[in-house]
Amino acid sequence: MNAPCSAPSTGEHSPLLHLEAISKAYAAPVLKAIDFGLQAGEIHALLGANGAGKSTLCRIISGLTAADSGKMWLASQPYRPREKSQAEAAGVQIVQQELNLLPTLTVAENLYLNRLPHRWGWIQQGRLHHLAHDALMQLGLDDIAPDTLVGSLGVGQQQLVEIAGALSQNCRVLILDEPTAALTHREIEQLFQQLRRLRAAGVGMIYISHRLEEIKELADRATVLRDGKLIETRAVSDFTTQAMVESMTGESTKELQAHTSYRTDRVLLQVEDLSRSEVFAPISFEVYQGERLGISGLVGSGRTELLRAIFGADQAESGEIKIGGKSKKRFLHPQEAVAAGLALVTENRKEDGLLLSQSIRTNTTLSDLPSFRRRLGRLDQTQEFEQTAGIVDRLDTRCQSLDQPTQELSGGNQQKVVVGRWLLRDAEIFLLDEPTRGIDVAARSRLHRLMAELAERGKALVIVSSDLEELLETCDRILVLSAGRLTGEFFRESWTREAIMEAAFRGYRQATASESA
């Protein structure tokens, strides 16, 4: 019988968190004997493609999942949390990629759900409001009232609320899984300021992000996982962006191709004076055949709501939508939009984009079932498999089988299933809301190439992204929404980051000036 593992040295440079030979398997191995160390006062990036095992490793550390084998120590003491509450009691906090807020409760109630201030069994609402206000102010979230229902907030604001909840607690280890995926540049800087403060206070942080420029700016060290194996750990200062990508993928990187515009003079989508009270004012714009039109703006500017209103998922109160020059008052239901050739990749794939308990095949063919019907209403499953397999291969979706439940996939591979559904439908107009959120570097590049292919085939694309760099890289033209108003239109030949950012704040400045007057 082997002797038990000993705890790591308690010397001056001993890690705050130490993992030894951590392994985990589901239907197949996910983690294979991972060794990992986190120092106090360190931001340690965890890198890897979707499915590499990053999130699983973090779930084990935070008590959400048990390892099959291996040992862990926290501050040189044996550490094996059986549930999340035990990890939190030990000072380990996690903010996951998929939100874990309760939409029917207020922001304050979500922030302090398991630690509500009370007396004699009654919740102290005044104290709760005060505590929530202080937690929100830590991230500069003075525009979010503690008594706001979480369900009324956009995904980006919900992400910030969840981060604020983690930061409001004393912790020794903070795990952040894609925390900036839906945040704007200003909000990211606010978050980074707080993370640097925590680092200076001796908190150890594990940071997962596919945005490599964030890793270069923020992290001290980086560990790369690939197919469940630890590839290497280096100081970030010794890691070039190209080396990071090559380490994650195991392949040499290729230079990015120059942007090519496929825009024609034919208008495919025309939006005229579309409005929804208290969300966005009357907005008009057009999208041309072969064009990639970006929509930029701060979280809460109305970008997502505009796409949903165009698609009929939410009801606009006025305005017209024209498809290919044909007038249409408005779509009253998404089914009408789909029939007219529109596709919507939603911002929140977990709640709005997928049937998580259903298979990859079911989710992929869902929007085009009539084409698979045969006599007596039966589905041609052979054709379903063939068509789905082609889409999965095209997007390089990592899965065990086409009948694997979608909820078992990583976040990035779930996103590929959503995109694949509309590729199979062969829609004419693609409304893409945060299409690369949670997708790794290689998959992001692949999706950008796919966008270019769709444009070359004459499709029209409307792309909403909180990542301005993504819009600058992929789009022919960018519109800016600010406080529900269209405040800028920029063309590739003449746009600047500064001008786009100024337009993103313009609506809020105008609103403040009007109130002051």
Side-chain angles (χ1 to χ4, degrees):
M1 182 174 178
N2 294 331
C5 295
S6 59
S9 166
T10 57
E12 182 181 355
H13 299 292
S14 62
L16 170 64
L17 177 70
H18 178 78
L19 280 59
E20 186 174 295
I22 296 295
S23 296
K24 180 69 179 178
Y26 293 104
V30 179
L31 295 173
K32 306 169 186 176
I34 300 296
D35 295 334
F36 179 81
L38 174 69
Q39 299 290 337
E42 176 189 32
I43 299 179
H44 195 135
L46 199 56
L47 305 178
N50 291 120
K54 308 183 301 297
S55 294
T56 300
L57 184 63
C58 290
R59 287 175 62 83
I60 290 171
I61 296 170
S62 59
L64 291 166
T65 300
D68 294 336
S69 61
K71 300 285 185 179
M72 295 191 291
W73 293 267
L74 181 64
S76 300
Q77 298 299 313
Y79 173 68
R80 192 179 183 88
R82 298 182 181 277
E83 55 188 25
K84 185 182 178 185
S85 60
Q86 290 184 353
E88 290 175 338
V92 178
Q93 309 293 335
I94 184 172
V95 177
Q96 299 180 79
Q97 179 180 347
E98 301 296 344
L99 298 172
N100 288 286
L101 300 172
L102 299 176
T104 56
L105 297 183
T106 67
V107 168
E109 289 165 341
N110 272 280
L111 286 172
Y112 288 89
L113 186 61
N114 297 319
R115 48 201 172 110
L116 292 169
H118 60 86
R119 187 177 184 183
W120 309 113
W122 294 91
I123 296 173
Q124 296 174 294
Q125 292 291 345
R127 178 163 172 73
L128 174 61
H129 189 280
H130 177 74
L131 290 170
H133 177 266
D134 288 348
L136 293 169
M137 287 298 291
Q138 271 201 95
L139 281 179
L141 302 179
D142 51 331
D143 58 334
I144 299 179
D147 57 357
T148 303
L149 286 178
V150 161
S152 68
L153 301 176
V155 172
Q157 291 174 306
Q158 290 184 29
Q159 184 76 68
L160 287 170
V161 167
E162 189 148 0
I163 293 170
L167 295 182
S168 70
Q169 305 180 61
N170 291 324
C171 67
R172 293 189 284 181
V173 174
L174 176 63
I175 303 171
L176 297 167
D177 191 351
E178 294 288 351
T180 64
L183 305 186
T184 63
H185 178 75
R186 182 184 66 165
E187 291 160 341
I188 291 171
E189 284 302 314
Q190 290 174 341
L191 174 62
F192 283 8
Q193 183 178 355
Q194 295 305 317
L195 298 187
R196 293 185 181 105
R197 179 182 62 80
L198 291 172
R199 175 169 58 188
V203 175
M205 285 165 275
I206 300 173
Y207 191 91
I208 298 177
S209 177
H210 294 309
R211 297 179 175 182
L212 299 187
E213 68 277 6
E214 291 182 1
I215 302 302
K216 296 290 289 181
E217 177 183 350
L218 188 67
D220 302 297
R221 286 193 296 163
T223 289
V224 178
L225 300 184
R226 186 168 72 235
D227 297 327
K229 298 179 181 179
L230 190 148
I231 303 302
E232 61 178 325
T233 296
R234 286 199 225 172
V236 168
S237 58
D238 296 335
F239 241 144
T240 65
T241 300
Q242 180 177 340
M244 288 182 186
V245 175
E246 291 180 353
S247 185
M248 285 187 283
T249 63
E251 302 173 355
S252 296
T253 58
K254 299 179 180 179
E255 291 186 9
L256 292 173
Q257 296 182 346
H259 181 86
T260 301
S261 177
Y262 303 102
R263 169 177 161 166
T264 71
D265 292 332
R266 182 190 171 203
V267 175
L268 283 191
L269 171 67
Q270 188 169 358
V271 177
E272 295 183 355
D273 294 324
L274 198 69
S275 69
R276 190 172 169 216
S277 62
E278 299 184 5
V279 181
F280 55 86
I283 290 176
S284 300
F285 65 92
E286 64 288 317
V287 191
Y288 294 84
Q289 182 183 48
E291 182 180 29
R292 285 158 285 175
L293 174 69
I295 298 183
S296 183
L298 306 179
V299 171
S301 62
R303 301 167 305 169
T304 291
E305 293 81 359
L306 175 61
L307 291 197
R308 289 178 58 86
I310 293 171
F311 195 68
D314 294 330
Q315 290 304 304
E317 294 160 359
S318 65
E320 287 189 352
I321 295 171
K322 295 181 180 179
I323 307 296
K326 298 179 180 178
S327 183
K328 169 73 182 178
K329 182 67 174 176
R330 283 185 302 279
F331 295 119
L332 301 179
H333 191 278
Q335 193 172 23
E336 295 180 3
V338 172
L342 272 71
L344 173 63
V345 174
T346 59
E347 179 184 25
N348 192 333
R349 58 178 173 264
K350 186 176 180 180
E351 294 186 7
D352 302 327
L354 292 167
L355 301 175
L356 290 171
S357 63
Q358 298 299 309
S359 68
I360 296 169
R361 173 170 58 94
T362 297
N363 275 282
T364 301
T365 60
L366 188 62
S367 66
D368 202 27
L369 286 177
S371 68
F372 297 102
R373 282 206 187 100
R374 294 299 174 259
R375 295 180 60 186
L376 302 178
R378 298 174 67 88
L379 293 178
D380 186 335
Q381 293 191 353
T382 299
Q383 188 182 10
E384 263 196 306
F385 269 101
E386 290 176 353
Q387 295 287 334
T388 303
I391 294 294
V392 165
D393 182 63
R394 184 176 177 184
L395 294 177
D396 192 27
T397 306
R398 304 295 179 88
C399 59
Q400 297 165 19
S401 75
L402 301 184
D403 280 330
Q404 181 180 4
T406 311
Q407 62 191 3
E408 295 181 0
L409 301 180
S410 66
N413 284 306
Q414 288 179 0
Q415 185 77 326
K416 293 178 187 178
V417 174
V418 178
V419 174
R421 173 189 304 156
W422 299 114
L423 293 179
L424 184 65
R425 175 79 187 186
D426 197 27
E428 289 298 315
I429 301 165
F430 285 77
L431 309 177
L432 307 173
D433 195 354
E434 304 287 359
T436 60
R437 181 173 180 243
I439 288 182
D440 63 68
V441 174
R444 174 186 170 109
S445 177
R446 189 176 297 111
L447 185 54
H448 286 176
R449 289 198 298 270
L450 175 62
M451 291 177 186
E453 291 172 12
L454 291 171
E456 187 176 13
R457 289 171 50 197
K459 311 297 185 180
L461 289 77
V462 182
I463 306 164
V464 164
S465 178
S466 299
D467 185 352
L468 179 56
E469 294 302 318
E470 177 173 44
L471 297 181
L472 294 173
E473 178 182 342
T474 59
C475 295
D476 305 296
R477 182 167 54 109
I478 295 175
L479 302 179
V480 179
L481 286 185
S482 181
R485 298 179 182 276
L486 190 60
T487 55
E489 179 182 24
F490 300 90
F491 295 87
R492 173 170 285 275
E493 300 78 19
S494 58
W495 64 37
T496 65
R497 292 171 179 80
E498 294 73 19
I500 293 173
M501 289 303 299
E502 191 281 327
F505 286 98
R506 189 180 303 157
Y508 298 95
R509 293 196 186 102
Q510 292 173 348
T512 302
S514 298
E515 291 172 3
S516 300

